[in-house]
């Protein structure tokens, strides 16, 4: 545990240093037509570095005197990390880069990144786009590296606005400090022991039911082809249904361990790959082998889940109950679960929340916000995608803000379990889970905060990503989610003796702790605006 905390402290310190260092020397060796020097400006002060210096460092480790001023401020391990970052390969092609940059999401990300450059936004965006495409085209091995992009920067000089980078570094420091404080502050609100006899590990144990697996496909109401799978338990009576909704760039396979667990306890389970946001769909669109969907196509994912429920009813209606359904979604699938639980979309709130992206003085780092703000002007008239057959929902690391407002979250009509990770950088817990949850009025809803949990903690399958993105002990995280989801669904879907409440009525003002190190959990029923402010300590975040 202490080793994990030490790594977290090092990560926060290094992130600030890296942001500032990259401002001063985010450059590389370049051909004659590209930048020959990088100049960092702070008011009337400026410092420049010869472009080839960092290229030599990245490729050979040699430290040019022109670069030593910057590198002397780093520890040896940090120098090596910087060199690795500059030369880390990414398997992409020119077509993939061009397709990504042509999509609204790519445009939005680029729009934010160039705010640290000392160039007019239109000029900077064009230059960086050109550098990315040219570097991909010249990468003989099909591997794009940061050093290649910097070498391909087409303008004669690369100016960096140190004031903007310093502001960015302060923002990073603030966000990371908030992430590190979320769990202890949640604990400080008060938390007792779980109900007598309750064991999360026992709830995570496999059941005795045998089940069959059925793979199938169908055409959704929008004409898209949908891949799906069902687990059907062998049971004397129709089984309650739970639908699994995966997140952005994720397949249903990442959540099937939950489906198998629930099926072993007598649930029918249906899972699907969303046609526009699955890993296959995203990669195909980037490679140019698939259709690029409309930027706001993901709003309609709840309809696809309703279509899936219809399919289960038509195929196995005698074996499955589809009049009382549970939904579990992760990330963008979590958004889907929240909508199906009753929250209405708030287009005005979305437009207001997206204005910061167009502000040249503000750099938006929140990936969940950037995703939601791909095309805020291209909204649909419909606000309500609720399905009355959904009686309970679980939203894991959901993307919710600014597409939902406090008023629309108050529309949640069924028990909703919201699960947040304290170290989630893709859908940060404060803005995407805590703030929206504080507006829920449905009395049986619960909020879970997992210490050290990330956006990827609960997903199954190998992932060649840094440990700080995956989080510690993913096997334990999956065990905790198995237990939490089964207990919550049993509580609100079972008619043959429901499970006890995770938070007893006597502890609704506080909460309970459960789970195990390094991923302990705090579970709360209520989070008032006052309590929310005690946790986030930033009035700008409170509704």
């Amino acid at each position: 545990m202490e080793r994990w905390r030490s790594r977290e402290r090092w990560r926060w310190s290094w992130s600030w240093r890296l942001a500032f260092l990259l401002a001063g020397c985010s450059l590389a060796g370049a051909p004659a037509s590209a930048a020959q020097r990088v100049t960092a400006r702070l008011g009337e002060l400026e410092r420049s570095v010869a472009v080839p210096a960092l290229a030599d460092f990245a490729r050979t480790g040699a430290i040019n005197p022109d670069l030593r001023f910057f590198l002397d401020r780093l520890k040896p391990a940090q120098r090596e990390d910087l060199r690795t970052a500059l030369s880390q390969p990414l398997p992409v092609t020119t077509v993939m880069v061009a397709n990504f940059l042509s999509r609204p999401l790519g445009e939005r990300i680029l729009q934010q990144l160039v705010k640290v450059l000392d160039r007019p936004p239109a000029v900077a965006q064009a230059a960086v786009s050109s550098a990315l495409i040219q570097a991909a085209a010249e990468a003989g091995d099909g591997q794009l590296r940061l050093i290649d992009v910097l070498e391909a920067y087409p303008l004669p000089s690369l100016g960096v606005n140190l004031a903007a980078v310093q502001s960015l570094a302060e923002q990073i420091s603030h966000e990371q400090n908030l992430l590190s404080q979320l769990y202890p502050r949640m604990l400080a609100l008060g938390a007792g022991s779980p109900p007598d006899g309750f064991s999360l590990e026992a709830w995570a144990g496999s059941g005795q039911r045998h089940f069959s697996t059925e793979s199938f496909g169908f055409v959704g109401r929008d004409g898209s082809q949908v891949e799906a799978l069902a687990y059907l338990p062998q049971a004397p009576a129709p089984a309650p249904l739970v639908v699994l909704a995966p997140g952005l760039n994720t397949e249903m396979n990442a959540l099937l361990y939950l489906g198998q667990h629930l099926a072993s306890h007598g649930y029918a389970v249906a899972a699907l790959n969303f046609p526009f946001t699955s890993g296959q769909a995203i990669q195909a669109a980037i490679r140019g082998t698939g259709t690029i969907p409309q930027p706001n196509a993901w709003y309609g994912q709840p309809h696809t889940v309703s279509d899936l429920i219809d399919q289960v009813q038509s195929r196995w209606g005698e074996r499955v109950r589809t009049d009382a359904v549970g939904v579990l979604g992760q990330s963008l699938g979590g958004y889907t679960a929240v909508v199906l639980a009753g929250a209405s979309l708030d287009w005005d709130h979305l437009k207001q929340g997206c204005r910061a992206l167009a502000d040249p003085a503000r750099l938006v780092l929140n990936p969940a916000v950037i995703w939601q703000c791909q095309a805020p002007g291209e909204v649909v008239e419909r606000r309500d995608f609720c399905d009355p057959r959904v009686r309970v929902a679980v939203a894991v690391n959901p993307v919710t803000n600014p597409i939902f407002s406090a008023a629309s979250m108050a529309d949640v009509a069924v028990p909703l379990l919201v699960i947040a990770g304290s170290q989630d950088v893709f859908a940060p817990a404060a803005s995407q889970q805590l703030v929206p949850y504080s507006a829920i009025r449905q009395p049986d809803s619960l909020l879970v905060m997992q210490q050290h949990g990330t956006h990827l903690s609960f997903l199954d399958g190998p992932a060649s990503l840094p440990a700080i993105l995956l989080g510690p002990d993913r096997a334990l995280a999956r065990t905790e989610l198995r237990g939490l989801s089964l207990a919550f669904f049993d509580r609100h879907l079972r008619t043959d003796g429901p499970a006890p409440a995770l938070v007893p009525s006597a502890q609704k003002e506080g909460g309970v702790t459960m789970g195990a190190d390094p991923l302990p959990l705090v579970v709360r029923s209520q989070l008032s605006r006052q309590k929310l402010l005690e946790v986030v300590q930033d009035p700008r975040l409170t509704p």
Side-chain angles (χ1 to χ4, degrees):
M1 171 67 73
E2 182 57 35
R3 182 173 60 183
W4 175 260
R5 288 174 179 154
S6 297
R7 185 172 65 182
E8 290 296 289
R9 287 193 293 268
W10 176 87
R11 174 160 66 101
W12 300 152
S13 174
W14 169 235
S15 295
W16 191 94
R17 294 185 188 189
L18 178 59
F20 199 85
L21 177 70
L22 289 180
C25 58
S26 62
L27 47 97
S33 60
Q36 292 301 297
R37 296 195 72 83
V38 169
T39 301
R41 297 183 179 88
L42 182 62
E44 296 182 357
L45 301 176
E46 67 176 46
R47 194 174 193 93
S48 65
V49 181
V51 170
L54 195 58
D56 289 343
F57 169 70
R59 294 192 173 100
T60 69
I63 300 177
N64 186 292
D66 206 27
L67 186 61
R68 185 170 297 281
F69 170 83
F70 299 100
L71 296 187
D72 281 350
R73 282 151 179 77
L74 297 180
K75 296 178 181 179
Q78 294 170 339
R79 292 184 188 180
E80 190 58 33
D81 285 340
L82 174 60
R83 186 182 173 197
T84 299
L86 290 168
S87 57
Q88 184 72 36
L90 180 67
V92 298
T93 66
T94 307
V95 172
M96 293 170 64
V97 172
N99 283 343
F100 178 74
L101 292 174
S102 68
R103 301 184 68 189
L105 178 60
E107 293 175 0
R108 287 292 190 180
I109 292 175
L110 190 60
Q111 179 189 49
Q112 299 309 302
L113 293 177
V114 301
K115 289 180 180 179
V116 301
L117 300 183
D118 197 13
R119 291 274 185 178
V123 174
Q125 286 182 235
V128 174
S129 296
S130 173
L132 286 165
I133 294 172
Q134 170 121 4
E138 294 179 352
D141 56 357
Q143 303 285 327
L144 181 64
R145 297 166 178 82
L146 177 58
I147 197 72
D148 302 327
V149 178
L150 299 173
E151 284 183 313
Y153 188 78
L155 301 179
S157 65
L158 195 160
V160 179
N161 185 336
L162 277 184
V165 176
Q166 188 170 10
S167 175
L168 170 61
E170 291 171 354
Q171 183 181 349
I172 292 174
S173 177
H174 172 78
E175 293 292 336
Q176 293 171 342
N177 180 65
L178 175 60
L179 290 178
S180 68
Q181 293 299 316
L182 286 178
Y183 185 82
R185 289 174 184 171
M186 288 281 288
L187 277 181
L189 298 181
S193 300
D196 291 340
F198 181 88
S199 168
L200 193 60
E201 186 176 35
W203 282 96
S206 297
Q208 301 301 312
R209 293 284 187 188
H210 296 285
F211 56 89
S212 61
T213 303
E214 302 286 346
S215 297
F216 62 101
F218 64 92
V219 178
R221 69 185 68 186
D222 59 1
S224 59
Q225 186 69 35
V226 182
E227 295 179 320
L229 176 146
Y231 294 133
L232 304 174
Q234 298 175 10
L241 174 65
V242 172
V243 174
L244 301 180
L248 175 66
N249 201 26
T250 304
E251 314 296 339
M252 59 181 167
N253 291 344
L255 295 175
L256 289 185
Y257 76 93
L258 279 175
Q260 294 162 5
H261 177 63
L262 294 169
S264 76
H265 286 273
Y267 285 92
V269 178
L272 78 167
N273 288 333
F274 286 111
F276 301 122
T277 60
S278 71
Q280 293 178 2
I282 294 293
Q283 294 305 312
I286 292 176
R287 291 192 185 101
T289 60
T291 302
I292 297 178
Q294 294 297 315
N296 290 340
W298 59 276
Y299 292 151
Q301 286 189 176
H303 272 163
T304 309
V305 170
S306 294
D307 292 342
L308 176 60
I309 297 172
D310 293 341
Q311 289 290 319
V312 172
Q313 171 61 34
S314 65
R315 294 167 186 262
W316 304 289
E318 294 183 356
R319 300 176 58 184
V320 180
R321 286 189 58 198
T322 57
D323 60 331
V325 178
V327 176
L328 183 147
Q330 190 268 343
S331 186
L332 205 56
Y335 149 82
T336 305
V338 173
V339 173
L340 290 165
S344 56
L345 308 188
D346 191 329
W347 301 117
D348 292 335
H349 191 258
L350 175 75
K351 293 176 182 178
Q352 181 178 354
C354 294
R355 289 173 183 166
L357 276 74
D359 184 346
R362 294 180 61 184
L363 197 157
V364 177
L365 297 175
N366 191 322
V369 172
I370 294 175
W371 172 263
Q372 294 171 78
C373 293
Q374 293 181 70
E378 298 179 20
V379 301
V380 296
E381 293 184 3
R382 182 162 184 161
R383 295 173 178 265
D384 181 11
F385 291 84
C386 179
D387 190 321
R389 295 171 295 185
V390 174
R391 303 296 179 84
V392 56
V394 178
V396 183
N397 314 117
V399 172
T400 62
N401 189 4
I403 189 60
F404 302 122
S405 62
S408 64
M409 287 299 294
D411 292 335
V412 169
V414 303
L416 175 63
L417 173 64
V418 176
I419 301 177
S422 70
Q423 303 302 321
D424 188 342
V425 297
F426 294 107
S431 68
Q432 298 301 310
Q433 290 100 49
L434 272 62
V435 170
Y437 184 86
S438 69
I440 293 177
R441 298 294 173 260
Q442 206 286 331
D444 295 315
S445 295
L446 294 176
L447 171 66
V448 176
M449 172 64 72
Q450 183 188 60
Q451 172 75 315
H452 299 138
T454 74
H455 199 69
L456 307 178
S457 290
F458 298 107
L459 301 183
D460 192 19
S464 54
L465 293 170
I468 60 174
L469 295 180
L470 296 174
D473 205 341
R474 295 173 73 207
L476 174 60
R478 294 192 293 270
T479 295
E480 292 178 344
L481 186 54
R482 280 195 293 263
L484 288 168
S485 59
L486 178 61
F488 199 68
F489 285 135
D490 270 12
R491 173 73 176 171
H492 299 291
L493 280 182
R494 290 289 191 189
T495 57
D496 52 346
L502 286 170
V503 178
S505 57
Q507 294 172 270
K508 280 188 175 291
E509 290 292 330
V512 299
T513 58
M514 56 182 69
D517 285 335
L519 299 169
L521 309 171
V522 58
V523 187
R524 291 188 61 85
S525 174
Q526 299 177 5
L527 187 67
S528 66
R529 187 182 186 279
Q530 178 183 350
K531 297 296 185 184
L532 172 67
L533 187 57
E534 291 180 29
V535 174
V536 301
Q537 296 187 8
D538 187 346
R540 295 171 299 178
L541 289 175
T542 57

